[in-house]
Every structure is written in structure tokens, then in C-alpha cells.
């Protein structure tokens, strides 16, 4: 399956605010059902050092931030190109480009289902940029494979809004294969002294890179 670069609906402009809010609520539900939030929490709890500050790269409306703060007690903040508008958040969400802008200092940065939105060179540069302000970066994303695509198309319409079903399918088609993902992470850390582990979950429902700078 070739990587598809067609834009997702939520990436475009002009989507009504109420629709965006519903879609982000459904995204948080999806991450809980798939175990993505639980996987991030396990990574944070397994850190070799105390995790006092967590930075969420591409945090959307902050669903993961709320979970991390409630479950770990860490100080949390997020960065996103399009932070939520007209809504008072319980934690800071900064409008920043994680590929190019200086990022806040944190012990651990996390990113969930962001990197499939990036070009190869942006993926590499984001990792290097995060390494300037964080000692560890946990990246979780989808896997481009026919099995998760078929499962999602079958099950998602049972519990998710149509927008999320369409965007979710497109996200899988935009994602990296494990080989592509691992190669780009290796390229990003080459010569820096950083190390990483790469894991793929059963049925290719997610892949994770755990980078230590």
C-alpha cells in the first residue's frame, strides 16, 4: 500500500467549531479504546528518572494531557499548530511549530498520531528539535498496513462520527510502515549519541519509538 498524502478533513479550514470539538472528543475515545493512552502512561511510569514535566507535541485539544496529569501528577503542557479557540484550558497549550520553533523544557515529550501528518524531513527535524529541550521523546503513531485499515473500516462506524471514520482511514493510509518509521528515527538520532527502541503492537494497531537523548 503506497503512502497517501491527501489532506484529512480536520486539517482543512472552515470546519465548524462544534464539529471540531465533537471530533476531538471522539479522537480521545478512540485512543482510550485502542490502548494508546495506556501505552503512553506505561512509558512514563517506566522512566528511569522522576518525570516532573511532560510536553505533548501536537496535543490537539489536550485529551492526553488531562489523562497524564490525572494519572501521574506531572506538570503538563502542550504545543499545537492549531490550539483550541474560545476555550479556557486547565493547562497551557502553546501555538508552536514543533519542527522549527524552540520548545518548552520538559523531562519527557510525547506525541500521539502526529507524525503521519509530516513529510520525511519534517519528522527527522522534529525529533532533533525535541532533543534540544527534552531528555526523552516517546512517539506513538499508526501503521500503514491493510489489517488495521480493514479493522478500522469495519468497527469505527459502530461508535465514531462519520468525520472520524473518514479521517481515521486516511490517517492509516498516510502513516509510515514500520521499516520507514524506524529508518527515519535512526536517521534523526545518527551521530547525536541518542538511542531508541521501536516496537509494533499486535495487528499493527500502533508503533512506538522511545528515544533517549
Amino acid at each position: 500500500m503506497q503512502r497517501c498524502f491527501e489532506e484529512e478533513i480536520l486539517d482543512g479550514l472552515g470546519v465548524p467549531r462544534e464539529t471540531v470539538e465533537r471530533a476531538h472528543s471522539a479522537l480521545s475515545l478512540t485512543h482510550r479504546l485502542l490502548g494508546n493512552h495506556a501505552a503512553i502512561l506505561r512509558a512514563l511510569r517506566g522512566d528511569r528518572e522522576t518525570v516532573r514535566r511532560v510536553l505533548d507535541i501536537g496535543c490537539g485539544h489536550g485529551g492526553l494531557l488531562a489523562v497524564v496529569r490525572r494519572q501521574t501528577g506531572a506538570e503538563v503542557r502542550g504545543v499545537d499548530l492549531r490550539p483550541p479557540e474560545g476555550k479556557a484550558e486547565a493547562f497551557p497549550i502553546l501555538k508552536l511549530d514543533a519542527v522549527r520553533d524552540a520548545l518548552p523544557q520538559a523531562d519527557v515529550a510525547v506525541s500521539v498520531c502526529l507524525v503521519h501528518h509530516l513529510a520525511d524531513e519534517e519528522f527527522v527535524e522534529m525529533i532533533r528539535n525535541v532533543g534540544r529541550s527534552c531528555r526523552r521523546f516517546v512517539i506513538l503513531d499508526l501503521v500503514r498496513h491493510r489489517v488495521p485499515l480493514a479493522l478500522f473500516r469495519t468497527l469505527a462506524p459502530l461508535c465514531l462520527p462519520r468525520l472520524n471514520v473518514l479521517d481515521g482511514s486516511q490517517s492509516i493510509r498516510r502513516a509510515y510502515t514500520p521499516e520507514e518509521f524506524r529508518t527515519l528515527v535512526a536517521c534523526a538520532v545518527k551521530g547525536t549519541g541518542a538511542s531508541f527502541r521501536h516496537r509494533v503492537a499486535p495487528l499493527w494497531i500502533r508503533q512506538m519509538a522511545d528515544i533517549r537523548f
Side-chain angles (χ1 to χ4, degrees):
M1 183 166 49
Q2 293 294 317
R3 191 178 184 206
C4 177
F5 295 93
E6 184 179 340
E7 188 177 69
E8 295 168 31
I9 298 170
L10 278 179
D11 290 339
L13 301 175
V15 181
R17 182 181 299 175
E18 296 78 9
T19 302
V20 173
E21 291 286 348
R22 284 196 300 272
H24 278 278
S25 294
L27 276 173
S28 290
L29 172 63
T30 303
H31 290 312
R32 290 197 300 274
L33 292 175
L34 291 176
N36 292 339
H37 285 176
I40 292 293
L41 289 171
R42 283 195 300 271
L44 293 174
R45 287 168 175 155
D47 199 282
R48 301 166 186 166
E49 304 176 38
T50 301
V51 177
R52 296 185 174 87
R53 290 179 294 178
V54 176
L55 178 67
D56 187 356
I57 307 293
C59 67
H61 286 206
L64 177 59
L65 288 169
V67 172
V68 169
R69 186 175 64 175
R70 183 172 64 250
Q71 295 292 328
T72 72
E75 176 188 337
V76 298
R77 66 173 57 189
V79 299
D80 201 277
L81 284 174
R82 294 166 64 180
E85 299 178 1
K87 179 180 173 183
E89 297 296 337
F91 31 72
I93 297 180
L94 308 176
K95 185 177 182 179
L96 293 173
D97 181 345
V99 176
R100 301 168 183 84
D101 295 335
L103 299 171
Q105 295 288 322
D107 297 309
V108 182
V110 300
S111 178
V112 174
C113 292
L114 167 68
V115 299
H116 65 267
H117 293 272
L118 305 177
D120 294 359
E121 59 274 14
E122 292 175 322
F123 187 6
V124 169
E125 287 304 318
M126 182 183 70
I127 291 172
R128 293 173 177 169
N129 192 34
V130 170
R132 299 183 182 104
S133 61
C134 304
R135 60 174 173 79
R136 185 180 174 206
F137 189 13
V138 180
I139 305 170
L140 184 155
D141 208 83
L142 302 166
V143 181
R144 192 173 80 249
H145 193 282
R146 297 186 185 280
V147 170
L149 182 58
L151 289 172
F152 184 81
R153 285 175 167 171
T154 301
L155 299 175
L158 302 177
C159 57
L160 297 177
R162 178 171 170 75
L163 185 153
N164 293 79
V165 174
L166 294 173
D167 271 5
S169 297
Q170 180 61 12
S171 292
I172 295 171
R173 291 194 296 265
R174 290 179 71 171
Y176 291 102
T177 65
E179 295 76 15
E180 293 166 347
F181 189 95
R182 185 168 52 248
T183 296
L184 289 170
V185 176
C187 175
V189 304
K190 184 178 181 180
T192 67
S195 62
F196 75 95
R197 292 183 301 168
H198 176 246
R199 295 177 178 174
V200 181
L203 299 178
W204 299 275
I205 62 170
R206 64 175 163 270
Q207 58 186 327
M208 295 179 68
D210 190 344
I211 306 167
R212 297 178 187 270
F213 299 101

